[in-house]
Amino acid sequence: MCFDAIDMRVFDELRKLEMFFKEETRRGCSIIDLYELVQHAGNILPRLYLLCTVGSVYIKSKEAPAKDVLKDLVEMCRGIQHPVRGLFLRSYLSQVSRDKLPDIGSEYEGDADTVMDAVEFVLQNFTEMNKLWVRMQHQGPAREKEKREKGRSELRDLVGKNLHVLSQIEGVDLDMYKDTVLPRVLEQVVNCKDELAQFYLMDCIIQVFPDEYHLQTLEVLLGACPQLQPSVDIKTVLSRLMERLSNYAASSAEVLPEFLQVEAFSKLNNVIGKVIEAQVDMPIFGAVTLYSSLLTFTLHVHPDRLDYADQVLGACVKKLSSKGKLEDSRATKQIVALLSAPLEKYNDVVTALKLSNYHHVMEYLDNETNKIMATVIIQSIMKNNTRISTADKVEALFELITGLIKDLDGNHEEVDEDDFKEEQNSVARLIQMLHNDDPVEMYKIICTVRRQFMTGGPKRLPFTIPPLVFSSLKLVRRLQGQDEGQDENPFGDESLTTPKKIFQLLNQTIEVLSTVPAPELALQLYLQCAEAANDSDLEPVAYEFFTQAYILYEEEVSDSKAQVTALHLIIGTLRRMHVFGVENRDTLTHKATGYSAKLLKKPDQCRAVYSCAHLFWVDDQDNMKDGERVLICLKRALRIANAAQQMSNATRGILFLREGEPQVTAAAIQSLIELINTEMQSDSSTPDPAADAFFASTLRYIQFQKQKGGAIGERVYVLMFLGKRNVENLSAYWFTTKSFTTNLMV
């Protein structure tokens, strides 16, 4: 049976005995006689239980001062020196007397009985109980020490109840606590030199007495910490103390001046340093835990004192440097908690960047934990929409997230592909949070980011370069119109931040990406830059980007599917360009047309060639309307389609309509329609409902135009049937261009 159960059963029976003694006094029996009578019991232990029971009735009768009876009882209990029996006896004494102590407002308070008498009684009982409790560790053979320690741990509440009683005495104000209670309790804690007792009693002091008392007696309380046994878990004691003080500070802004007055941070910082210095065998986990708790306290009590927070981080760095690389996972978790505290408090990474020792602490994390912490930092930025607005801050930020930017310490271990992608995508999302309205500073930010990304290695560049390019293009569009004239160098060499200067940087950046190799991605980015240069009216720059894209297409893009995709991107981008003169445009257009005719598969050739027809007829540019070349492209596409039909019986026909174009006569259109009809009705043709419906819709549109008496159409229409799937693709293509009209839909 556990000690608590025994304790409760015995005390219940003794309560009945106390009621019996009360009844006896009512019948005329003298309480003084009873008090003397029970002292004649033969065995000392029953005698003292009887004495405590009668003593309770004696105090209640008020026939003698309470302090005299209490003093007599606490002294008489010295007769039991057996640790366990003595503990239970004194616990019973504490229980029967707690409601009879002379206290403010108590019926037992008087001229002869004061609050100090109650305090002296409880302190003396506590002292004797603690001595008995400590003595238990020496009662028995050494081989049973572990068993005894377990038993001692179960009995600790008997001792701690005395401190709880002290905290409940109304007359114990701050002055009495400071002058009498705390010094006496700490004296007993320090002098007992027992690890279990010291840890438990220090924790009891922290838990049972008010926060205000702890704050006002902080120096005294902390002064006992370095005197404790080296094996005492002092980190937990101090952490709980700082947690209580932090909560106290957060409870009301009115108490913060008290913290400043008592210099709480300085005292806590000093004692932590002394404890760590005194306990040379303290594991690094314990030291980091202390600094983590101190930082949390500092952020709650002194949120505006970044120098305090940085001082804590600096002390932690000093301790970590003496231990080298961490191998304790618990210490690693505490460092993560330490580094996360400023982020959670300020919700602003910019504030954390002001802490000069922040990144030094991160250096002691292992590679995986460093990545986790870097991800936490990025998540904080995204969650709080934090803008990093200067190149210096960006530099400091990238020092913190180095683990995601590049391999640490030459680490090339295999990583999970999905995890790697998620990490790099988080870095890519970060770029949008780096912004400054000043173009000069924004350019510095871009250069800083580029320098960091270039160290990331070939696996990271495909993730990190694209967002950097688009961020640079946003700046270009803000600066449109600042470049005037052309230089021999298409990018210029201006000292100011201009679109040319940014394009030059982008050209160098994408060139690195093309060697990763990621040629398809580099080609897309070159085309994006070319389009931005077009919007800035920088023809030489746009031509240079197109030239780089063509070189990549010719030398690096070898897969047939990738070639088709890249070529359609080139054609689509080139069609939107208006900056080119006749010579440059002809060069680029003919190159694209030539590439189209060299694709591996005939259907791909046909689609690419008829797409090139759009390059010779741009509606909003009068100098780019060449119907003859349009017709040449379409005829070439028709020839390729016929050749594809002979090989795979897939081609169904081509229809080209143009308003007022002399090369496209009514007879030519009628001839094409008949050709399509013939192909659709041939035995070798595979029925295709989608193609049939589309062709019927086109014919209705032509008939509608004839009935109106106008020209056949307002735009150029190219219809190519290469099976049902390609009809759907063609419909989608037309829907995204200006050449599409709803009249053609079924």
Side-chain angles (χ1 to χ4, degrees), residues 510-658:
I510 301 173
E511 184 179 4
V512 174
L513 182 62
S514 66
T515 62
V516 167
E520 294 92 346
L521 178 59
L523 186 144
Q524 294 177 43
L525 295 178
Y526 275 134
L527 295 177
Q528 289 286 345
C529 292
E531 193 166 355
N534 174 78
D535 296 339
S536 298
D537 291 325
L538 297 175
E539 181 180 3
V541 176
Y543 188 83
E544 178 66 21
F545 281 121
F546 256 99
T547 301
Q548 295 296 331
Y550 281 176
I551 292 173
L552 274 181
Y553 179 84
E554 293 175 358
E555 298 180 357
E556 302 293 340
V557 183
S558 56
D559 180 76
S560 60
K561 291 184 178 180
Q563 286 181 337
V564 172
T565 301
L567 190 53
H568 281 287
L569 284 173
I570 290 173
I571 295 171
T573 304
L574 187 56
R575 187 176 181 277
R576 293 191 292 272
M577 305 294 285
H578 61 74
V579 73
F580 291 133
V582 175
E583 182 179 351
N584 285 341
R585 186 174 186 87
D586 281 350
T587 301
L588 297 174
T589 301
H590 282 91
K591 273 281 188 182
T593 306
Y595 294 151
S596 301
K598 294 178 182 178
L599 291 174
L600 180 62
K601 297 178 181 179
K602 292 295 182 181
D604 293 334
Q605 289 181 20
C606 188
R607 277 192 293 269
V609 170
Y610 77 63
S611 294
C612 287
H614 291 285
L615 299 178
F616 298 104
W617 193 278
V618 181
D619 296 320
D620 54 357
Q621 299 182 53
D622 293 335
N623 63 337
M624 291 188 222
K625 295 182 178 180
D626 191 336
E628 183 176 354
R629 290 187 177 180
V630 170
L631 192 58
I632 292 173
C633 286
L634 294 176
K635 287 180 178 180
R636 179 183 292 183
L638 180 59
R639 288 196 300 271
I640 297 172
N642 287 332
Q645 179 191 21
Q646 294 173 7
M647 292 184 293
S648 61
N649 192 29
T651 304
R652 302 293 294 273
I654 296 176
L655 176 63
F656 173 73
L657 306 175
R658 249 290 299 142

Side-chain angles (χ1 to χ4, degrees), residues 78-123:
R78 290 178 183 269
I80 301 298
Q81 290 299 306
H82 186 280
V84 177
R85 293 170 182 171
L87 278 174
F88 278 103
L89 174 62
R90 288 186 175 275
S91 177
Y92 176 64
L93 173 61
S94 176
Q95 181 171 326
V96 297
S97 62
R98 64 184 303 173
D99 59 344
K100 303 173 182 67
L101 298 176
D103 191 10
I104 294 178
S106 169
E107 59 179 302
Y108 304 104
E109 182 188 21
D111 295 336
D113 298 309
T114 64
V115 173
M116 184 57 71
D117 296 324
V119 171
E120 283 292 338
F121 166 75
V122 178
L123 284 174

Side-chain angles (χ1 to χ4, degrees), residues 470 472-481 499 502-503 528-529 531-533 535-536:
F470 285 105
S472 303
L473 293 180
K474 285 174 63 177
L475 179 59
V476 166
R477 289 184 170 88
R478 287 165 52 193
L479 297 173
Q480 283 179 4
I502 300 170
F503 281 130
Q528 289 286 345
C529 292
E531 193 166 355
D535 296 339
S536 298

Side-chain angles (χ1 to χ4, degrees), residues 15-30:
R15 283 293 184 185
K16 296 177 183 178
L17 181 61
E18 182 181 356
M19 294 175 62
F20 170 76
F21 286 142
K22 289 179 181 178
E23 290 297 326
E24 287 297 309
T25 57
R26 290 194 183 98
R27 295 190 183 100
C29 182
S30 171

Side-chain angles (χ1 to χ4, degrees), residues 61-78:
S61 69
K62 300 181 183 178
E63 294 186 20
K67 68 175 182 179
D68 293 340
V69 179
L70 292 173
K71 183 177 181 181
D72 188 46
L73 292 174
V74 78
E75 289 292 339
M76 292 291 287
C77 286
R78 290 178 183 269

